[in-house]
């Protein structure tokens, strides 16, 4: 069989023995019975146009149908559904809707379900709104149909928040609709007035057209344009005139002057310019909000990963379904195949597989063994799993990542604030220029003075300038989140794009952080078993990665007055004797030989008692990440607290030339400071365990995430997964973001430099000025959205 063959329904690779089914006379191959059953139902329902219309494969259908009876519980429906005429309504999320054809299929499939009153699927946001009659069908029935087609339902962000979001969107669409209708009518009447080039239209007819246009344009300017008026009032109260001040001022000026000219029977009116301005700007603002929504969809994706209920195991072995909020630390939970993990915990089964694509960007299921951590937001695959809860609610890794994403999206970097300040100065300068242009035209052609000034104000609205930075950053933050890289501080992306050097820690960063004890040697006055017993006692409560190598020691002594010395080791009292473990100089007082030594205050050999030899594997994707960073022109450094020989061997395997061994946290910080004094921009990548000083001291820093302690890190960005391939992808995206921002700013300034003289010269009419201004804003938004084209787990877009 062709190795490239894929499942007809979901597009995944076929197994050695694929499921075969004949559809419309053609044999189709499927990866599982679930996908085959979905395809048969689509055919029987005469919805097979779906396969012709779709632009992306569907999601894989689990052969074992998920238990959805919990969705019929009143405590869930009261929090997430609302009563409507004839039934109830709920909005759910799904991660399988990948194109418009999926939304088409969902709408028609739900329409065939008894008791479903109405449904609406949005392929962009992954949201499905379902209205159903509880007297005719429970909610679990239509949701089961969705799951059978590969669209597993998840809870949205709560009915109140969803209702507010929907109401805001409907108000915006209603304003756009009214403004569009008004713009068409105003242009139609304005065309009749413009075509009267010889002044032959009777005055009553002309005045009739003007008053009709007045009636059409007034609600457009004051109701549809109210967001701009309210924004202008806020800007003026804060003494910071900006984009809304110019928009509201121009539209109100055009409307007021036209009204005055209508009343007194003047020569010109500009109602068409006022309504066109409002309409085009509303459309541009709505598209910008849509772009921001697409770019920041990671928050919804994180909410989607939280199940509504969990299956808790009772002491007698029975099970009960409880709300996730009712789980407590120590509870035993059973996770079925395909279900998301409800909270953080440790695996109790011998082995299980979990898909961690939402948290790490890696789509392949990751094997876990008994005792391994399992995180909320991951999905159980291949076989059911049993786990013990260790963190719940806001303490889970999922909740922490959601907070980091929301915080990153709320940040306003210095570049964005600078663009806003420039826009404020621009508006103030434009007001002065408008007065000068009006005075000049009043002297040379009084009849056109107002029209020229109006066109000048409209065409030079700094919308594109104000959007140049925020639009690019919103798209870039969304792309970063999908790659598993979360910016924690506002300036992180900008500084990462300027980086010239990258400094790596070894243990826990380039290495997998799991050193393995290979042997115990050079024992003096003590056997290997006793050396392990003492070492395990000293390292029991240590957070250093080497401590994990002693975790399996069965016979552990009790240690007192344990103290960790950064960059050296640990000391404490065991069995009444003071012991040290760490570098040779620290533990034994002898010269450094690259090993980890155990020593005591008494005994021969300078206190040396035993030497431990460790080995560490490279972290997944480390070699690839280093290779890509070098290809990007970055200078790479390895700074480690380990001995010189193993560090150099590790650096040679990675292809890193600049090696710094036996580095304490202070020495690492000094290395970074030295590079900075040479004019280098330094990015530090560390595991955050003992790298806090250097992470804070570098120009930009990235930390490996390890759970709910992410917020306490000193890093600017956090890698939510275990692979380092996100580092070169983030660098590439940061550089692209800087380039896109420069392009946006160049376009905004270039447009104004070209448009301002043309408008001041009277070569641009007000309605044409409104069109040009809106198109410039849309151009900036569309250019920024190029940053959002990235698949989870892939490199940044090129």
């Amino acid at each position: 069989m062709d190795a490239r063959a894929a499942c007809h329904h979901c597009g995944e690779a076929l197994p050695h023995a694929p499921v075969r089914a004949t559809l419309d006379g053609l044999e189709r191959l499927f990866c599982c019975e679930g996908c085959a059953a979905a395809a048969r139902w689509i055919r029987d329902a005469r919805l097979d146009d779906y396969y012709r219309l779709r632009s992306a494969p569907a999601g894989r259908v689990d052969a074992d149908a998920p238990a959805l009876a919990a969705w019929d519980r009143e405590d869930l429906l009261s929090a997430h559904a609302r009563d409507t005429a004839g039934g109830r309504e709920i909005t759910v999320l799904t991660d399988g809707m990948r194109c418009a054809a999926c939304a088409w299929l969902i709408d028609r499939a739900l329409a065939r379900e008894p008791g479903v009153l109405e449904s609406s699927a949005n392929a962009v946001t992954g949201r499905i709104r379902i209205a159903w009659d509880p007297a005719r069908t429970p909610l679990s029935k239509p949701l089961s149909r969705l799951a059978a087609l590969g669209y597993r339902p998840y809870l949205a962000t709560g009915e109140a928040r969803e209702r507010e979001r929907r109401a805001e969107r409907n108000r915006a669409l209603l304003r756009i609709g009214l403004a569009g209708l008004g713009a068409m009518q105003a242009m139609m009447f304005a065309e009749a007035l413009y075509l009267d080039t010889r002044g032959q239209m009777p005055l009553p007819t002309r005045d009739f057209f003007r008053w009709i246009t007045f009636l059409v344009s007034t609600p457009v300017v004051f109701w549809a344009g109210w967001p701009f008026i309210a924004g202008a009032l806020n800007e003026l109260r804060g003494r910071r005139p900006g984009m809304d001040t110019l928009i509201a001022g121009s539209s109100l000026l055009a409307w007021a002057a036209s009204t005055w000219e209508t009343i007194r029977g003047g020569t010109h009116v500009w109602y068409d310019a006022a309504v066109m301005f409002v309409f085009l700007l509303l459309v541009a603002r709505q598209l910008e909000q849509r772009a921001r929504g697409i770019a920041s969809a990671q928050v919804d994706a994180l909410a989607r990963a939280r199940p509504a209920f969990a299956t808790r195991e009772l002491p007698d072995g029975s099970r009960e379904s409880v709300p996730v909020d009712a789980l407590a630390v120590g509870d035993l939970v059973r996770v079925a195949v395909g279900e998301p993990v409800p909270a953080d915990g440790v695996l109790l089964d011998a082995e299980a597989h979990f898909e961690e694509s939402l948290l790490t960007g890696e789509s392949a299921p990751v094997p876990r063994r008994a005792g391994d951590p399992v995180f909320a937001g991951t999905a159980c695959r291949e076989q059911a799993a049993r786990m013990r809860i260790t963190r719940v609610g806001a303490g889970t890794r999922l909740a922490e990542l959601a907070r980091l994403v929301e915080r990153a999206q709320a940040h306003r970097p210095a570049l964005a604030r600078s663009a806003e300040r420039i826009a404020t100065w621009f508006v103030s300068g434009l007001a002065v220029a408008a007065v000068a242009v009006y005075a000049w035209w009043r002297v040379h052609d009084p009849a056109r003075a107002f029209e020229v000034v109006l066109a000048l104000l409209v065409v030079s609205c700094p919308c594109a300038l104000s959007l140049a930075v925020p639009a690019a950053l919103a798209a870039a933050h969304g792309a970063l989140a999908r790659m598993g890289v979360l910016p924690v501080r506002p300036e992180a992306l900008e500084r990462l794009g300027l980086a010239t050097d990258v400094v790596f820690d070894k243990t826990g960063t380039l290495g997998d952080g799991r050193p393995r004890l290979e042997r115990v040697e050079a024992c003096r006055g003590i056997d290997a078993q006793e050396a392990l017993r003492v070492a395990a006692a000293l390292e029991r409560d240590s957070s250093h990665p080497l401590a994990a190598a002693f975790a399996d020691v069965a016979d552990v002594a009790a240690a007192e007055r344990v103290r960790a010395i950064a960059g050296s080791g640990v000391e404490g009292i065991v069995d009444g004797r003071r012991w040290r473990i760490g570098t040779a100089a620290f533990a034994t007082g002898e010269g450094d030989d690259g090993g980890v030594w155990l020593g005591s205050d008494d005994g021969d050999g300078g206190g040396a008692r035993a030497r431990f030899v460790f080995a560490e594997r490279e972290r997944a994707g480390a070699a690839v990440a280093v290779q890509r960073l070098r290809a990007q022109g970055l200078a790479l450094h390895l700074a480690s607290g380990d001995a010189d020989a193993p560090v150099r061997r590790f650096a040679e395997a990675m292809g890193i030339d600049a090696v710094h061994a036996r580095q304490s946290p202070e020495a690492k910080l000094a290395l970074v400071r030295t590079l900075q004094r040479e004019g280098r921009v330094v990015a530090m990548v560390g595991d955050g365990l003992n790298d806090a000083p250097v992470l804070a001291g570098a120009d930009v820093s990235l930390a490996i995430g390890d759970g709910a302690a992410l917020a306490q890190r000193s890093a600017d960005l956090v890698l939510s997964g275990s692979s380092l391939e996100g580092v070169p992808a983030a660098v590439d995206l940061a550089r692209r973001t800087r380039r896109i921002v420069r392009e946006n700013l160049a376009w905004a300034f270039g447009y104004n430099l070209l448009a301002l003289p043309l408008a001041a010269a009277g070569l641009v009419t007000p309605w044409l000025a409104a069109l040009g201004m809106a198109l410039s804003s849309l151009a900036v938004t569309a250019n920024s959205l190029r940053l959002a084209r990235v698949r989870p787990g892939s490199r940044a877009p090129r």
Side-chain angles (χ1 to χ4, degrees):
M1 181 183 300
D2 186 355
R4 293 171 298 176
C7 175
H8 175 64
H9 183 73
C10 70
E12 291 193 11
L14 293 172
H16 293 298
V19 177
R20 301 174 184 271
T22 302
L23 303 176
D24 298 329
L26 297 175
E27 184 182 60
R28 301 292 188 184
L29 303 181
F30 299 91
C31 64
C32 62
E33 285 290 351
C35 287
R40 292 190 194 99
W41 187 91
I42 291 172
R43 178 202 59 189
D44 295 341
R46 299 184 182 277
L47 296 175
D48 41 357
D49 278 348
Y50 161 73
Y51 292 111
R52 179 177 57 82
L53 296 172
R54 68 179 182 176
S55 58
R60 179 170 179 164
V61 183
D62 293 321
D64 298 327
L68 298 173
W71 287 81
D72 299 327
R73 293 177 53 150
E74 185 57 35
D75 49 358
L76 180 144
L77 294 176
S78 61
H80 296 274
R82 70 184 185 95
D83 295 328
T84 60
R88 305 184 85 170
E89 181 181 295
I90 192 171
T91 298
V92 299
L93 297 168
T94 182
D95 54 5
M97 199 171 1
R98 300 172 181 175
C99 65
C102 291
W104 176 89
L105 176 63
I106 288 171
D107 285 340
R108 282 153 183 79
L110 290 177
R112 286 166 165 74
E113 291 295 308
V116 174
L117 306 176
E118 184 184 0
S119 65
S120 174
N122 188 318
V124 175
T125 63
R127 293 172 175 268
I128 307 171
R129 183 174 58 84
I130 304 173
W132 81 103
D133 183 359
R136 296 175 56 195
T137 182
L139 177 60
S140 58
K141 286 297 181 63
L143 295 185
S144 296
R145 172 54 55 204
L146 287 178
L149 293 175
Y151 306 106
R152 187 185 183 91
Y154 301 94
L155 279 177
T157 53
E159 172 55 27
R161 181 172 170 182
E162 175 60 25
R163 186 163 57 246
E164 181 182 351
R165 184 202 301 258
R166 191 163 54 244
E168 182 179 352
R169 182 196 62 200
N170 290 341
R171 281 194 301 270
L173 293 177
L174 188 58
R175 292 184 195 276
I176 290 174
L178 176 65
L181 182 62
M184 287 189 294
Q185 297 298 318
M187 289 298 292
M188 181 178 67
F189 293 121
E191 183 180 6
L193 295 173
Y194 289 147
L195 292 176
D196 182 30
T197 56
R198 299 183 180 180
Q200 296 176 344
M201 181 181 293
L203 290 181
T205 304
R206 184 200 68 178
D207 291 342
F208 172 77
F209 280 148
R210 288 184 174 182
W211 283 111
I212 290 293
T213 311
F214 165 80
L215 294 176
V216 168
S217 62
T218 299
V220 173
V221 171
F222 287 95
W223 187 80
W226 177 250
F228 304 120
I229 297 174
L233 293 174
N234 290 332
E235 289 176 350
L236 293 175
R237 276 196 293 266
R239 297 182 180 180
R240 293 180 59 188
M243 183 171 62
D244 283 344
T245 301
L246 194 54
I247 295 171
S250 300
S251 57
L252 289 174
L253 185 61
W255 178 88
S258 300
T259 302
W260 173 249
E261 290 293 293
T262 300
I263 293 172
R264 75 178 189 90
T267 307
H268 297 290
V269 291
W270 303 273
Y271 292 117
D272 56 325
V275 295
M276 281 290 290
F277 196 33
V278 171
F279 169 64
L280 292 172
L281 276 170
L282 284 173
V283 171
R285 182 162 289 188
Q286 182 67 16
L287 290 175
E288 178 210 346
Q289 292 298 327
R290 181 182 176 90
R292 287 172 178 262
I294 294 172
S296 61
Q298 184 76 355
V299 174
D300 271 349
L302 293 169
R304 185 183 310 148
R306 187 175 185 265
F309 288 86
T311 302
R312 183 164 59 190
E313 189 174 299
L314 300 178
D316 61 2
S318 61
R319 302 173 187 174
E320 63 175 349
S321 181
V322 298
V324 170
D325 294 337
L327 292 177
V329 174
D331 283 350
L332 300 184
V333 170
R334 188 81 174 179
V335 185
V337 176
E339 285 189 353
V341 176
D344 291 356
V346 294
L347 184 65
L348 299 179
D349 293 335
E351 186 177 14
H353 292 76
F354 295 89
E355 182 184 323
E356 302 179 348
S357 58
L358 182 65
L359 301 183
T360 68
E362 176 56 52
S363 59
V366 177
R368 298 290 183 194
R369 289 180 170 77
D372 285 350
V374 178
F375 300 108
T378 61
C380 183
R381 298 299 184 200
E382 298 185 14
Q383 63 190 51
R386 188 166 168 264
M387 58 180 288
R388 176 179 285 108
I389 300 300
T390 57
R391 291 193 186 102
V392 296
T396 64
R397 180 176 188 174
L398 179 69
E400 183 65 31
L401 293 181
R403 285 195 294 271
L404 287 176
V405 172
E406 289 176 341
R407 189 189 311 166
Q409 292 168 355
H411 281 150
R412 295 172 63 252
L415 193 58
R417 295 193 296 269
S418 298
E420 289 184 4
R421 284 195 297 270
I422 292 173
T424 299
W425 300 334
F426 182 82
V427 170
S428 303
L430 184 63
V432 176
V435 172
V437 170
Y438 181 79
W440 191 92
W441 279 93
R442 284 292 297 176
V443 173
H444 295 85
D445 191 350
R448 295 197 61 201
F450 182 80
E451 177 182 318
V452 171
V453 170
L454 180 60
L456 178 71
L457 293 173
V458 170
V459 80
S460 57
C461 177
C463 299
L465 180 61
S466 297
L467 289 175
V469 179
L473 291 180
H477 281 170
L480 279 176
R482 288 192 295 278
M483 291 188 298
V485 182
L486 304 178
V488 178
R489 290 180 173 79
E491 316 296 340
L493 198 62
E494 180 184 354
R495 292 202 298 260
L496 185 61
L498 294 170
T500 60
D501 292 63
V502 179
V503 178
F504 284 101
D505 179 39
K506 183 178 81 72
T507 304
T509 303
L510 286 177
D512 61 4
R514 300 172 186 171
R516 295 169 306 286
L517 180 62
E518 290 193 334
R519 62 185 182 275
V520 183
E521 60 185 22
C523 294
R524 301 176 186 175
I526 189 174
D527 60 22
Q529 190 63 36
E530 181 65 15
L532 286 174
R533 177 176 172 272
V534 174
L538 294 173
E539 294 281 7
R540 172 182 288 177
D541 297 320
S542 173
S543 61
H544 194 278
L546 287 178
F550 298 100
D552 295 332
V553 176
D555 182 18
V556 181
E560 301 174 345
R561 296 163 62 182
V562 177
R563 187 167 66 102
I565 310 299
S568 297
V570 179
E571 66 177 4
I573 297 177
V574 179
D575 297 335
R577 179 185 298 177
R578 178 171 296 281
W579 293 86
R580 295 185 182 88
I581 183 173
T583 65
F586 170 73
T588 70
E590 299 178 354
D592 185 17
D593 67 348
V596 176
W597 280 88
L598 176 68
S600 65
D601 283 347
D602 56 354
D604 298 331
R609 291 296 186 177
R611 184 176 187 269
F612 301 100
V613 179
F614 297 90
E616 181 182 13
R617 295 192 185 98
E618 70 177 59
R619 180 179 289 273
V624 175
V626 168
Q627 180 182 356
R628 290 179 178 172
L629 289 169
R630 189 185 300 107
Q632 290 171 342
L634 291 163
L636 305 181
H637 308 259
L638 178 59
S640 173
D642 293 349
D644 186 74
V647 172
R648 288 195 177 278
R649 284 196 300 270
F650 202 92
E652 184 178 353
M654 291 285 104
I656 299 177
D657 297 327
V659 181
H660 310 270
R662 285 301 186 204
Q663 297 282 294
S664 65
E666 294 78 11
K668 292 179 184 179
L669 181 59
L671 169 65
V672 168
R673 296 293 190 221
T674 299
L675 292 172
Q676 290 171 333
R677 283 194 294 271
E678 295 172 358
R680 316 293 289 178
V681 178
V682 182
M684 174 69 192
V685 185
D687 63 357
L689 293 174
N690 60 355
D691 294 326
V694 67
L695 287 172
D699 295 289
V700 60
S701 53
L702 301 94
I704 309 294
D706 68 344
L710 289 172
Q712 298 157 12
R713 300 295 179 87
S714 302
D716 300 300
L717 299 102
V718 173
L719 302 174
S720 62
S722 59
S723 173
L724 287 177
E725 293 185 57
V727 177
V731 171
D732 189 55
L733 182 65
R735 291 177 175 179
R736 275 183 51 81
T737 301
R738 284 179 52 80
R739 186 161 62 250
I740 291 293
V741 167
R742 287 197 300 267
E743 290 173 0
N744 286 350
L745 291 174
W747 167 259
F749 283 115
Y751 163 79
N752 281 293
L753 287 175
L754 178 64
L756 279 174
L758 293 177
L763 301 176
V764 180
T765 60
W767 73 266
L768 187 60
L771 180 61
M773 181 279 312
L775 290 177
S776 71
S777 300
L778 292 178
V780 165
T781 301
N783 190 41
S784 299
L785 280 179
R786 292 194 295 144
L787 293 168
R789 294 199 300 268
V790 60
R791 295 191 303 271
S794 70
R795 296 180 65 188
R798 290 204 176 273

